[in-house]
Amino acid sequence: MKEKSKSEVSIIGGADGPTSIFIAGRTRKKPLKVRIQNSIYRYRRKIVEKKVVADVHTLDELVQYAMNTYNLIETNSTERKYIEQQKSLKESLILQHKPEVLGEMKDIPKPDISNEKSVREYFCKINTRSEMIAEMPDDVIPMNFHLYEIRIGDDFASSIYF
């Protein structure tokens, strides 16, 4: 058996019963095959990093590229999915970046989960805050929101928003 370092060995005393010794972790030395694979990976990564050159693109160029490459279809702004995604994004952005506009509603204390009344009050406050954010003018968090879907066959596989 190979020797292990002291940090990898734990001994639980035998005063109450049999002594137990636990050996945890692995040695730091990796097998030769793994070290070769890692060095090949690092070498290839350096080559690719030299070839990749970032270029400035407008959002319109990015959308057009994604539409051509992945057959994106823009969701109509009157559809329920679009409205819910936009509402969720607006709420998230306000909570993260402009919580001060919510006043006392920015921090809602967690409920006592063993008390049903406390949980109900918590959900009422969350709903009230959501409605409050939905009624806020769009200039609080300006957004140019578009929702796109990738169509695979007759189904929509996923949604992407810009």
Side-chain angles (χ1 to χ4, degrees):
M1 185 171 157
K2 293 182 180 179
E3 289 186 24
K4 301 287 182 180
S5 68
K6 290 181 182 178
S7 65
E8 295 174 345
V9 177
S10 296
I11 300 175
I12 298 177
D16 301 53
T19 301
S20 299
I21 300 174
F22 295 95
I23 301 174
R26 299 180 182 198
T27 61
R28 296 180 193 265
K29 191 172 181 180
K30 295 180 182 174
L32 179 61
K33 184 177 178 181
V34 173
R35 288 184 287 171
I36 291 171
Q37 287 173 341
N38 288 344
S39 62
I40 290 170
Y41 171 77
R42 284 191 303 273
Y43 174 74
R44 287 181 179 168
R45 183 178 174 131
K46 286 180 184 179
I47 291 172
V48 170
E49 285 175 351
K50 290 178 183 177
K51 291 180 180 178
V52 174
V53 178
D55 198 5
V56 179
H57 300 285
T58 66
L59 185 57
D60 292 333
E61 290 173 331
L62 174 66
V63 169
Q64 190 60 45
Y65 171 79
M67 289 176 108
N68 294 339
T69 306
Y70 302 108
N71 299 322
L72 296 183
I73 298 172
E74 186 166 7
T75 306
N76 191 332
S77 63
T78 58
E79 287 187 36
R80 179 178 171 209
K81 188 185 312 184
Y82 178 94
I83 294 167
E84 287 177 2
Q85 289 284 342
Q86 184 182 29
K87 180 181 172 186
S88 294
L89 181 62
K90 180 179 179 181
E91 187 170 341
S92 176
L93 289 172
I94 287 176
L95 287 170
Q96 289 178 24
H97 301 288
K98 296 253 183 158
E100 65 275 1
V101 298
L102 299 171
E104 65 185 35
M105 295 298 281
K106 73 178 181 178
D107 293 320
I108 299 174
K110 302 258 189 249
D112 175 14
I113 59 170
S114 61
N115 182 348
E116 185 178 339
K117 183 180 177 186
S118 174
V119 173
R120 287 184 189 272
E121 289 175 1
Y122 176 76
F123 283 118
C124 282
K125 288 179 182 178
I126 293 288
N127 286 335
T128 303
R129 180 173 70 187
S130 293
E131 291 169 3
M132 182 177 152
I133 290 172
E135 293 173 2
M136 287 184 175
D138 290 338
D139 63 347
V140 173
I141 294 279
M143 292 189 309
N144 182 6
F145 184 81
H146 297 273
L147 181 67
Y148 298 91
E149 295 178 320
I150 298 174
R151 181 171 284 196
I152 299 175
D154 294 335
D155 298 329
F156 288 103
S158 62
S159 299
I160 301 169
Y161 58 86
F162 292 103

